[in-house]
C-alpha cells in the first residue's frame, strides 16, 4: 500500500491509498472553493446521559446529484470533483459537511473505488484489503488527535438508509467522547466480569454463538453469526476469533483472510430477498475500543473489548422496511419481525457461488 496525503482547494486533507507503490498523485484541486465553515456543537442530554451533535450547516449538503455530477467520482476534464486525480484506488478526505469538527471531533469520507456503478461487494479481494488498510491507518492517525476518544468506521448503503450519494463510499467519525452504544457494552462487560469471577463477556458470547444454530459462516480467523437478541430483521456480527480491541491489533493472518469473508457476507446480503429485488440496503459498522483509560468502567481494560463488525439491513421482507416506530424510537425497545434463527438459516442458504 502507498499512502499520499495532499490538500483540497479549501484546505481539507485528502489521502490516496494505492495498490501500486509507484503510483504518483500530484493532481491539484482546481475548484474555486471558499474555506469550509462549520457550526458543529456537542450538547449533552442531562436526562439520558448521552450527547447530540447539532450541525445546522449540513442542511446544505449535496443531495442525490445525477451520476454525471457525483462529487466522489474522479475528476475528468472540466468536471471537477472532490478527487482531483483522474483515477484512484481508495481515497479518504475530510467531509465538507461534517457532523463533527474542530474540538467536537472529525468526519471523513472513504471512497472505496472510482467506479461509480460498483459496490463494496463487487470489489476484488485486493481492493477490499486496501479498504481495510485505509480504515486501520485512519484509526491510527485519528486516535492521536487530542479531541478524539473513539473512532468509528462505517458504511451506509442504499437510499432507504438515507444515503444521499450513490457512489460506493463509507465514512469515519472520530468522536470526542465514548459513544453511548460502546459505553453500554463496557458496562455490561464490567458487570459480567464481576459476576463471573473474571470471564470476558465477548469471549463468552462468541463461544455460545459458535456452539449454536445461528452461525452464518466460519473461517480460520473469523466467525459470523446472527446474535441471539438481534435487533434488526437480518443482522450479522463478524468477529475475529482472536480477541483484539481495534483494527490496529489485527494480525496479518486475520487481515489477509478478512476480504474473502467480508465479501462473502455482503454478497449473501444481496441475495436474501432474491435476485429480482434491488440491492439490499444495509449499515456496516465497526465497533472498536475507545482510546484512553476507560475511566468509569471498573476493572475493564482496553484489551478486554472485542473488535467486531455489525452488518444489518432495515428491509424485513420483499418490498417492506423495518421502521423504528413507537416502541423503538420512543422507548429503545426493539421488536424484531424475523426470528434470528430464521435469518441465520436464510443467510446460509444464499451462499454466493
Amino acid at each position: 500500500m502507498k499512502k499520499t496525503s495532499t490538500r483540497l482547494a479549501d484546505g481539507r486533507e485528502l489521502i490516496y491509498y494505492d495498490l501500486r507503490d509507484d503510483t504518483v498523485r500530484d493532481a491539484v484541486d482546481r475548484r474555486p472553493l471558499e474555506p469550509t465553515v462549520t457550526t458543529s456543537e456537542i450538547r449533552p442530554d442531562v436526562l439520558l446521559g448521552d450527547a447530540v451533535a447539532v450541525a445546522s450547516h449540513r442542511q446544505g449538503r449535496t443531495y442525490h446529484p445525477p451520476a454525471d455530477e457525483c462529487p466522489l467520482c474522479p475528476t475528468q476534464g472540466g468536471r471537477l470533483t472532490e478527487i482531483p486525480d483522474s483515477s484512484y484506488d481508495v481515497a479518504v478526505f475530510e467531509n465538507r459537511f461534517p457532523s463533527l469538527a474542530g474540538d467536537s471531533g472529525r468526519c471523513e469520507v472513504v471512497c472505496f473505488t472510482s467506479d461509480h456503478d460498483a459496490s463494496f461487494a463487487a470489489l476484488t479481494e485486493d481492493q477490499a484489503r486496501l479498504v481495510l488498510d485505509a480504515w486501520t491507518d485512519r484509526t491510527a492517525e485519528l486516535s492521536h488527535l487530542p479531541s478524539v476518544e473513539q473512532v468509528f468506521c462505517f458504511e451506509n448503503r442504499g437510499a432507504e438508509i438515507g444515503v444521499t450519494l450513490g457512489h460506493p463510499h463509507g465514512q469515519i467519525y472520530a468522536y470526542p467522547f465514548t459513544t453511548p452504544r460502546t459505553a453500554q457494552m463496557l458496562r455490561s462487560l464490567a458487570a459480567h466480569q464481576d459476576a463471573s469471577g473474571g470471564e470476558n463477556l465477548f469471549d463468552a458470547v462468541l463461544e455460545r454463538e459458535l456452539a449454536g444454530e445461528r452461525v452464518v459462516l466460519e473461517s480460520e480467523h473469523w466467525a459470523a453469526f446472527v446474535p441471539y437478541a438481534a435487533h434488526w430483521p437480518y443482522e450479522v456480527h463478524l468477529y475475529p476469533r482472536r480477541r483484539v480491541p481495534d483494527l490496529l491489533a489485527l494480525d496479518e493472518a486475520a487481515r489477509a483472510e478478512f476480504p474473502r469473508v467480508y465479501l462473502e457476507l455482503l454478497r449473501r446480503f444481496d441475495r436474501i430477498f432474491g435476485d429480482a429485488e434491488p440491492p439490499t440496503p444495509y449499515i456496516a459498522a465497526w465497533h472498536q475500543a475507545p482510546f484512553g483509560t476507560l475511566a468509569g468502567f471498573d476493572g475493564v481494560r482496553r484489551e478486554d473489548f472485542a473488535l467486531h463488525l455489525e452488518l444489518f439491513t432495515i428491509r424485513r421482507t420483499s418490498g417492506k422496511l423495518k421502521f423504528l416506530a413507537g416502541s423503538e424510537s420512543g422507548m429503545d425497545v426493539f421488536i424484531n419481525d424475523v426470528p434470528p434463527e430464521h435469518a441465520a438459516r436464510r443467510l446460509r442458504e444464499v451462499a454466493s457461488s
Side-chain angles (χ1 to χ4, degrees):
M1 178 189 80
K2 181 181 180 182
K3 175 183 175 183
T4 306
S5 179
T6 184
R7 293 282 170 180
L8 296 172
D10 55 8
R12 288 175 295 133
E13 187 177 17
L14 165 67
I15 309 108
Y16 293 100
Y17 294 90
D18 286 293
L19 291 167
R20 293 175 54 98
D21 290 336
D22 60 353
T23 303
V24 176
R25 298 296 184 188
D26 56 7
V28 176
D29 185 3
R30 295 179 281 126
R31 296 172 298 171
L33 298 180
E34 296 293 330
T36 301
V37 178
T38 62
T39 57
S40 181
E41 176 189 2
I42 301 295
R43 296 188 179 185
D45 186 318
V46 296
L47 286 179
L48 296 180
D50 57 12
V52 175
V54 179
S56 59
H57 62 277
R58 284 176 54 79
Q59 287 281 34
R61 66 187 185 275
T62 308
Y63 186 79
H64 291 301
D68 60 357
E69 295 179 16
C70 175
L72 306 186
C73 289
T75 289
Q76 298 287 344
R79 181 181 144 198
L80 309 180
T81 73
E82 292 275 56
I83 319 294
D85 216 319
S86 59
S87 66
Y88 63 85
D89 291 337
V90 173
V92 179
F93 60 86
E94 290 182 75
N95 198 324
R96 186 166 172 79
F97 303 96
S99 302
L100 309 167
D103 292 340
S104 297
R106 174 158 157 154
C107 292
E108 298 182 342
V109 177
V110 183
C111 299
F112 302 140
T113 171
S114 59
D115 183 354
H116 180 87
D117 297 317
S119 66
F120 202 120
L123 300 182
T124 66
E125 290 188 14
D126 285 344
Q127 289 174 309
R129 169 61 190 263
L130 186 60
V131 175
L132 174 64
D133 289 342
W135 284 330
T136 305
D137 181 71
R138 296 315 302 153
T139 296
E141 292 291 329
L142 293 170
S143 72
H144 296 310
L145 297 180
S147 63
V148 171
E149 189 169 316
Q150 186 173 4
V151 178
F152 175 46
C153 307
F154 64 100
E155 180 191 1
N156 297 329
R157 194 270 192 104
E160 299 94 331
I161 298 292
V163 175
T164 58
L165 296 174
H167 195 104
H169 73 287
Q171 300 180 66
I172 301 175
Y173 277 22
Y175 296 100
F177 51 79
T178 297
T179 61
R181 182 74 175 273
T182 303
Q184 182 57 59
M185 290 184 192
L186 292 170
R187 285 190 292 270
S188 297
L189 184 63
H192 183 84
Q193 182 174 281
D194 183 63
S196 66
E199 182 184 49
N200 183 280
L201 178 58
F202 288 108
D203 292 350
V205 167
L206 182 58
E207 182 180 1
R208 181 190 71 186
E209 292 292 359
L210 289 179
E213 59 180 314
R214 290 178 296 277
V215 175
V216 174
L217 63 85
E218 299 179 69
S219 67
E220 182 178 357
H221 301 286
W222 294 88
F225 58 87
V226 177
Y228 172 74
H231 288 56
W232 299 94
Y234 291 89
E235 174 181 342
V236 174
H237 292 190
L238 176 64
Y239 277 69
R241 288 182 178 271
R242 182 178 70 87
R243 172 166 43 89
V244 294
D246 54 33
L247 289 165
L248 290 93
L250 284 174
D251 60 25
E252 177 54 32
R255 292 181 184 282
E257 194 178 67
F258 170 78
R260 177 176 62 81
V261 174
Y262 187 49
L263 291 173
E264 171 68 14
L265 274 181
L266 292 181
R267 290 162 186 166
R268 291 190 191 192
F269 255 61
D270 271 347
R271 296 163 66 95
I272 293 173
F273 306 104
D275 294 335
E277 286 289 315
T280 302
Y282 65 74
I283 293 174
W286 279 109
H287 291 264
Q288 305 191 79
F291 294 93
T293 60
L294 301 188
F297 304 101
D298 292 342
V300 173
R301 305 164 302 167
R302 196 170 178 275
E303 55 267 32
D304 294 330
F305 192 87
L307 168 77
H308 62 284
L309 182 141
E310 297 184 8
L311 172 68
F312 61 90
T313 180
I314 63 171
R315 186 180 291 164
R316 57 187 175 89
T317 189
S318 297
K320 297 179 182 178
L321 301 181
K322 167 64 178 177
F323 293 101
L324 301 190
S327 185
E328 293 90 351
S329 295
M331 283 295 167
D332 276 351
V333 178
F334 275 69
I335 301 168
N336 191 349
D337 305 296
V338 180
E341 294 74 21
H342 172 86
R345 184 166 59 251
R346 178 59 180 159
L347 285 162
R348 289 193 298 268
E349 290 172 352
V350 295
S352 62
S353 58

